[in-house]
Amino acid sequence: MARPGAAAVALAVALLEVALAGVGAQGADLQDPDYYVQEIWSQEPYYARPEPEPQPFSPPLPAGAGEEVRGPRTPEPRPPKKATKPRKAPKREKLASEAPPPGKNSNRKGVRTKSSEKPASGDHSVPVARGDVSEDCPPLGLETLKITDFQLHASTVKRYGLGAHRGRLNIQAGVNENDFYDGAWCAGRNDLHQWIEVDARRLTRFTGVITQGRNSLWLSDWVTSYKVMVSNDSHTWVTVRNGSGDMQIFEGNSEKEIPVLNELPAPMVARYLRVNPQSWFGNGSICLRMEVLGCPLPDPNNYYHRRNEMTTTDDLDFQHHNYKEMRQLMKVVHEMCPNITRIYNIGKSHQGLKLYAVEISDHPGEHEVGEPEFHYIAGAHGNEVLGRELLLLLTQFLCQEYLAGNARIVRLVEETRIHIVPSLNPDGYEKAYEGGSELGGWSLGRWTHDGIDFNNNFPDLNTLLWEAEDRQNVPRKVPNHYIAIPEWFLSENATVAVETRAVIAWMEKIPFVLGGNLQGGELVVAYPYDMVRTLWKTQERTPTPDDHVFRWLAYSYASTHRLMTDARRRVCHTEDFQKEDGTVNGASWHTVAGSLNDFSYLHTNCFELSIYVGCDKFPHESELPEEWENNRESLIVFMEQVHRGIKGVVSDVHGRGIPDAVISVEGVDHDLRTASDGDYWRLLNPGEYVVTARAEGFTSSTKNCMVGYDMGATKCDFTLSKTNLARIREIMQKLGKQPVSLPARPLRLRGRKRRQRG
Ligand SMILES: *[C@@H]1O[C@H](CO)[C@@H](O)[C@H](O)[C@H]1NC(C)=O
Ligand SMILES: *[C@@H]1O[C@H](CO)[C@@H](O)[C@H](O)[C@H]1NC(C)=O
Ligand SMILES: *[C@@H]1O[C@H](CO)[C@@H](O)[C@H](O)[C@H]1NC(C)=O
Ligand SMILES: *[C@@H]1O[C@H](CO)[C@@H](O)[C@H](O)[C@H]1NC(C)=O
Ligand SMILES: *[C@@H]1O[C@H](CO)[C@@H](O)[C@H](O)[C@H]1NC(C)=O
């Protein structure tokens, strides 16, 4: 793939321009008429952050800068890392939970989640700070699984499912908490000699420990205080001491789910780190989940060092973007690629943040006849943030590669209309963002501002279809597709999030063919149905009539991901998806009524899948380059699948497209309809198909259509002629409004024909 040196420079220059404009005349660039036309950058910022504008060309920080003494409010440098390119420098402190900078307070009310949210995990605020911030080192990766099971050890364990390898931040227990997969490390005995240990496998400057209680519905187990020890050989241990030279007792947790960060009074250089519990809750056991913060020291001779260091050759903006920064980035991309991008919004969140979409196409803003439409969306759960960043990286990448003339990307952009919505629940995201990548827990920011879970907020059309099928009303009374949304759902009183309504309106307006929604917390691609058909079951494989196509689509993503189909990979939490190659039927995993995927399939032409992009819902910024590498190929391959199957135009004898014509494929009990120009797309795996086009007032037409293995949908056009009845009606209308008695008309017609012939 061409690496566009020039394009990278262009992006950098564009960033600089934006930064400079931001310093001097904030409003000036916002008044660009182009932006007004598209109704984007609103003048009033949603909130003013006091932090400096992006400074892309600030010099890389010298190594060891973190050792300087800093006031508590000094923005902290990033962890030492390859200083190969200019980066955004001082940015807000994330891990350290120091007092919020002035002006930030107004946003912090969002941190406390609503009481309507699940109390078990959602209702908490971000822990308050202790002590000064000395350095910002990234997590070692207990949560991301970068630290392998072999690097975790413990004094004793209660049983296998509560072993040291389960002592990872945010790990989730299985449904039966007595199985192999339980929600923490728990010591086999409850005394002061218990410990859990991480082997970093190289010298590391440890700076902090984050702990959490046991994930359990029934039990209350957490550690209320602990000591920390470090070692270079796991025999001789040095206990971390406080300012007065005593062994420091760190204050631990006070409930199960809220992560609590303790920074070490001074960074400790060592290879091993142990947490040694000193007290624990009530009559419970010693159980904890944790993450360790540390900066690996340079060690070029270390095998693990080289193996674990992931680099990317793409020059993209690898960092988390809050709402304002996301908007800014979209603007930069649009300025760089004005010919192939358009920015619009599909509505507003509960709190009034816009749901931005970036459209990428050679003719942005219009549907081209015969060109399929594709979408990626992310951030439906505000705390599953990796998808958002991957999509922002994707827009930059598509723009850069298009400019660089990458043939594959140029073709994709020319033949597809791509819509990308990175943040469907910006209100939730802002909450999660305040919590930060490690301290938000498992669910802070998941829900919309009014406490709705987007994942099951769509109308349940499955039940409508299945009940009609059971009464044998399909397809005579109820169609097997385009199931109507029930009245009650549309009423203002229905508990439907504004974000959900926005997505429904968007999907009804644009003839999407294929879509992917990026989620987090697992590593798997889930395809519909998401809801079980047997009422009392919670899991049951529930295939759609298009099961083969969906499985292929899911596999196309999973098999090109760097980890999803890796059989040696450890499971994220409790589910092993390897038996289906990193894919799963949604309902066979866990049933969800009212999912986007099921809604999309039953109400529109769009085939929609859920792509779970990682175990860690909110990975640390330093993980983004690697995650981009993991997903880049998959993101492109999946988009290319929109060109599989057959496509064409259904038109009348005068060549006018017929909208809303029904396309049926023999043997597949799910029809589609043509878009407003009479064009249609039918995703199909390779094979030979008998396809019928029908439209009201026209005689239907049937054809054989072949789908080959090569990319590119087979063209399969239909020309329909009017039925006799329709023709008669048409002529009647032409002849004027006078009612003509029917029996007379065929006679007259015949008479005229005879005259013409004669
Ligand atoms: C481990 O080794 C490093 C380098 O030799 C040294 O700086 C550090 O103090 C040692 N740590 C401990 C806990 O002994
Ligand atoms: C150090 O730790 C000891 C024991 O935990 C405690 O009594 C003492 O107050 C601490 N001193 C400081 C300066 O934190
Ligand atoms: C611990 O157990 C004892 C006896 O079973 C009970 O009386 C006490 O309330 C328990 N304490 C807590 C904190 O659960
Ligand atoms: C956009 O299109 C115009 C006209 O085709 C062309 O001159 C210009 O170079 C293009 N700009 C970019 C950034 O590709
Ligand atoms: C909606 O709520 C309003 C006020 O609570 C009530 O008057 C109205 O009847 C409700 N409408 C429906 C369709 O339930």
PDB file of all heavy atoms in Angstrom, residues 77 79 346-347 382 552 603 627 640 686 708:
ATOM      1  N   PRO A  77       2.926  15.285  30.750  1.00  0.00           N
ATOM      2  CA  PRO A  77       3.368  14.756  29.456  1.00  0.00           C
ATOM      3  C   PRO A  77       2.857  13.328  29.283  1.00  0.00           C
ATOM      4  O   PRO A  77       2.504  12.668  30.246  1.00  0.00           O
ATOM      5  CB  PRO A  77       4.884  14.770  29.577  1.00  0.00           C
ATOM      6  CG  PRO A  77       5.140  14.641  31.048  1.00  0.00           C
ATOM      7  CD  PRO A  77       3.995  15.343  31.731  1.00  0.00           C
ATOM      8  N   PRO A  79       3.312   9.332  28.336  1.00  0.00           N
ATOM      9  CA  PRO A  79       4.372   8.384  28.668  1.00  0.00           C
ATOM     10  C   PRO A  79       5.451   8.451  27.608  1.00  0.00           C
ATOM     11  O   PRO A  79       5.147   8.698  26.439  1.00  0.00           O
ATOM     12  CB  PRO A  79       3.659   7.041  28.625  1.00  0.00           C
ATOM     13  CG  PRO A  79       2.379   7.291  27.905  1.00  0.00           C
ATOM     14  CD  PRO A  79       2.037   8.717  28.166  1.00  0.00           C
ATOM     15  N   ILE A 346     -27.061  13.608  11.805  1.00  0.00           N
ATOM     16  CA  ILE A 346     -28.317  12.866  11.659  1.00  0.00           C
ATOM     17  C   ILE A 346     -29.298  13.243  12.767  1.00  0.00           C
ATOM     18  O   ILE A 346     -30.361  12.675  12.871  1.00  0.00           O
ATOM     19  CB  ILE A 346     -28.077  11.341  11.643  1.00  0.00           C
ATOM     20  CG1 ILE A 346     -27.571  10.842  12.993  1.00  0.00           C
ATOM     21  CG2 ILE A 346     -27.082  10.969  10.559  1.00  0.00           C
ATOM     22  CD1 ILE A 346     -27.585   9.318  13.105  1.00  0.00           C
ATOM     23  N   GLY A 347     -28.931  14.206  13.587  1.00  0.00           N
ATOM     24  CA  GLY A 347     -29.813  14.636  14.670  1.00  0.00           C
ATOM     25  C   GLY A 347     -28.984  15.052  15.857  1.00  0.00           C
ATOM     26  O   GLY A 347     -27.776  15.266  15.732  1.00  0.00           O
ATOM     27  N   GLY A 382     -21.757   4.755  25.120  1.00  0.00           N
ATOM     28  CA  GLY A 382     -20.770   5.829  25.170  1.00  0.00           C
ATOM     29  C   GLY A 382     -19.419   5.415  25.717  1.00  0.00           C
ATOM     30  O   GLY A 382     -18.408   6.045  25.429  1.00  0.00           O
ATOM     31  N   TRP A 552     -20.867 -15.231   6.192  1.00  0.00           N
ATOM     32  CA  TRP A 552     -19.747 -14.800   5.364  1.00  0.00           C
ATOM     33  C   TRP A 552     -19.310 -13.385   5.743  1.00  0.00           C
ATOM     34  O   TRP A 552     -18.123 -13.115   5.903  1.00  0.00           O
ATOM     35  CB  TRP A 552     -20.098 -14.854   3.875  1.00  0.00           C
ATOM     36  CG  TRP A 552     -19.079 -14.081   3.114  1.00  0.00           C
ATOM     37  CD1 TRP A 552     -19.184 -12.814   2.647  1.00  0.00           C
ATOM     38  CD2 TRP A 552     -17.741 -14.500   2.832  1.00  0.00           C
ATOM     39  NE1 TRP A 552     -18.000 -12.402   2.090  1.00  0.00           N
ATOM     40  CE2 TRP A 552     -17.082 -13.421   2.192  1.00  0.00           C
ATOM     41  CE3 TRP A 552     -17.016 -15.676   3.081  1.00  0.00           C
ATOM     42  CZ2 TRP A 552     -15.759 -13.486   1.782  1.00  0.00           C
ATOM     43  CZ3 TRP A 552     -15.680 -15.728   2.671  1.00  0.00           C
ATOM     44  CH2 TRP A 552     -15.069 -14.649   2.028  1.00  0.00           C
ATOM     45  N   HIS A 603     -36.755  -4.170   8.868  1.00  0.00           N
ATOM     46  CA  HIS A 603     -37.466  -2.950   8.477  1.00  0.00           C
ATOM     47  C   HIS A 603     -36.879  -2.291   7.231  1.00  0.00           C
ATOM     48  O   HIS A 603     -37.552  -1.534   6.550  1.00  0.00           O
ATOM     49  CB  HIS A 603     -37.455  -1.947   9.631  1.00  0.00           C
ATOM     50  CG  HIS A 603     -38.253  -0.709   9.379  1.00  0.00           C
ATOM     51  ND1 HIS A 603     -39.625  -0.717   9.247  1.00  0.00           N
ATOM     52  CD2 HIS A 603     -37.871   0.581   9.191  1.00  0.00           C
ATOM     53  CE1 HIS A 603     -40.055   0.517   9.007  1.00  0.00           C
ATOM     54  NE2 HIS A 603     -39.010   1.312   8.965  1.00  0.00           N
ATOM     55  N   GLU A 627      -4.251  -1.118  17.987  1.00  0.00           N
ATOM     56  CA  GLU A 627      -5.638  -1.468  17.658  1.00  0.00           C
ATOM     57  C   GLU A 627      -5.965  -1.100  16.215  1.00  0.00           C
ATOM     58  O   GLU A 627      -6.740  -1.787  15.544  1.00  0.00           O
ATOM     59  CB  GLU A 627      -6.615  -0.791  18.623  1.00  0.00           C
ATOM     60  CG  GLU A 627      -6.585  -1.371  20.034  1.00  0.00           C
ATOM     61  CD  GLU A 627      -6.971  -2.854  20.067  1.00  0.00           C
ATOM     62  OE1 GLU A 627      -7.463  -3.387  19.060  1.00  0.00           O
ATOM     63  OE2 GLU A 627      -6.756  -3.485  21.117  1.00  0.00           O
ATOM     64  N   GLU A 640     -15.812  -3.587   1.518  1.00  0.00           N
ATOM     65  CA  GLU A 640     -15.789  -4.108   0.149  1.00  0.00           C
ATOM     66  C   GLU A 640     -16.876  -5.160  -0.088  1.00  0.00           C
ATOM     67  O   GLU A 640     -17.266  -5.401  -1.226  1.00  0.00           O
ATOM     68  CB  GLU A 640     -14.399  -4.690  -0.164  1.00  0.00           C
ATOM     69  CG  GLU A 640     -13.350  -3.599  -0.321  1.00  0.00           C
ATOM     70  CD  GLU A 640     -11.918  -4.126  -0.389  1.00  0.00           C
ATOM     71  OE1 GLU A 640     -11.668  -5.276   0.049  1.00  0.00           O
ATOM     72  OE2 GLU A 640     -11.045  -3.395  -0.868  1.00  0.00           O
ATOM     73  N   PRO A 686     -21.521 -16.569  -3.599  1.00  0.00           N
ATOM     74  CA  PRO A 686     -21.404 -17.106  -4.956  1.00  0.00           C
ATOM     75  C   PRO A 686     -22.392 -18.249  -5.198  1.00  0.00           C
ATOM     76  O   PRO A 686     -22.639 -19.057  -4.308  1.00  0.00           O
ATOM     77  CB  PRO A 686     -19.964 -17.598  -5.011  1.00  0.00           C
ATOM     78  CG  PRO A 686     -19.242 -16.725  -4.045  1.00  0.00           C
ATOM     79  CD  PRO A 686     -20.218 -16.454  -2.942  1.00  0.00           C
ATOM     80  N   GLY A 708     -20.447 -14.731  -8.999  1.00  0.00           N
ATOM     81  CA  GLY A 708     -19.142 -15.380  -9.061  1.00  0.00           C
ATOM     82  C   GLY A 708     -18.330 -15.126  -7.808  1.00  0.00           C
ATOM     83  O   GLY A 708     -18.820 -14.520  -6.847  1.00  0.00           O
TER      84      GLY A 708
END
